[in-house]
Amino acid sequence: MTQSKEETDVDIALTQRKSDVDIAPIFGDVVFVVGKGHDQTNLRVSSWLLKSASKVFAAMFGPHFAEGQKLSGSNLITVPLPDDDPFAMSILCSELHLRTDMVPDKFNISEIYEIARLIDKYDCHIALKRLFQVWFMENKGTTSPTDLALQMVCASLFSDATAFTNITHELVMRYGEPYINLWDDGVSSFVPWKALGMLEAERSWLRSQIDAILLNYMRSECSVDHGCTYSLYWLGHCMEHIFLGTYDSQWTYNPPCSRAIEKLRASDIPEVDHVVIHSCRCGDDADEHELPDFNLLSLSDKLSRLSHKGLCLDCVRTSGNVKAGHCREESGAHMPRP
């Protein structure tokens, strides 16, 4: 089917709009050639505006680098940036030029991650921190482990200690598999490996608190101080179903702590088979006693008070231990635990 001249002109215009972006049509003196191959994009920008927002650009277009020495009042210079993402670079430059008309209203977390990498690379944190927080809030509430890992990287790049604590809290609560599965190059390049160990430690601590609540409840309900045979069987039965139960394919290692708590609150655990243990004696001289009537609904209040804090960004970044009083985010979980 042959296209009309009007349709052909539209296709050409769309192609030009994609590959050549005139962000600074009047004062633009630099053309960034961003990316490689088919996705390569040319961005016309103003070196003066970029220098005012970024120390890296200020140095690049200063008198000591070739790019700055080529600048003149009338000639455009070309700067190749083959390793940068074209879309992310166009958003960064558009925001620094106040060209909000060239910026989408919403971004997904992968796009924010790419933009955050460039903001960190070109040191534009101060100029774009508020915008980052707005973009970040629009993606708040995600439960995808991969998205949470990218959000953690973004919070670290922007030194947002509060966001970092909140995101790592979600990772501790909602992720059941080994954290090494999330630690690809995109994460490990920006977040220290130390954070992986801290996340594992925090999750283990939280699981131990759930165990302790169940153990203390068993002891309080059973007339035998140390727990009778039936009570111990009931405890193992609960542990098996909240931590080793079968769940959907997203969680294949261990159920997340959040799911274990939800199951306990909802009493979503099969009853113990009374045929297996219908009575017990707690020692040769002990009298047979009535089996405890365990009611998980009575645990709701204790579980609601079970709180966990996300990681402290300052503790993650330091090689040693930081006292809580010296950290910016006082609500974060500090290492070692106080």
Side-chain angles (χ1 to χ4, degrees), residues 134-279:
V134 172
W135 297 336
F136 208 69
M137 287 299 294
E138 291 177 351
N139 284 272
K140 189 177 180 180
T142 180
T143 57
S144 164
T146 303
D147 285 354
L148 286 171
L150 293 180
Q151 285 186 338
M152 175 180 65
V153 173
C154 294
S156 177
L157 289 175
F158 271 86
S159 296
D160 192 328
T162 301
F164 190 85
T165 295
N166 293 337
I167 294 160
T168 50
H169 163 77
E170 292 298 309
L171 279 171
V172 169
M173 290 293 292
R174 300 185 181 279
Y175 193 59
E177 298 184 29
Y179 290 107
I180 189 68
N181 294 349
L182 298 176
W183 237 256
D184 58 15
D185 291 341
V187 175
S188 61
S189 298
F190 301 102
V191 179
W193 283 91
K194 177 182 178 182
L196 186 153
M198 291 174 68
L199 285 169
E200 292 284 6
E202 284 301 300
R203 185 170 59 187
S204 296
W205 175 85
L206 185 58
R207 284 175 172 162
S208 72
Q209 296 304 299
I210 297 173
D211 292 350
I213 288 176
L214 281 172
L215 180 61
N216 291 332
Y217 172 70
M218 179 205 74
R219 288 173 172 170
S220 68
E221 294 296 314
C222 183
S223 59
V224 180
D225 289 341
H226 57 272
C228 65
T229 308
Y230 174 79
S231 298
L232 294 173
Y233 181 84
W234 174 87
L235 181 63
H237 176 79
C238 287
M239 295 296 185
E240 178 183 0
H241 280 84
I242 65 173
F243 285 130
L244 299 177
T246 301
Y247 294 87
D248 58 74
S249 59
Q250 186 179 7
W251 312 105
T252 56
Y253 176 67
N254 261 328
C257 292
S258 60
R259 295 228 181 157
I261 293 173
E262 288 169 7
K263 287 179 75 69
L264 287 173
R265 282 178 174 168
S267 294
D268 186 18
I269 296 175
E271 292 186 3
V272 175
D273 187 354
H274 286 254
V275 175
V276 177
I277 295 183
H278 51 81
S279 64

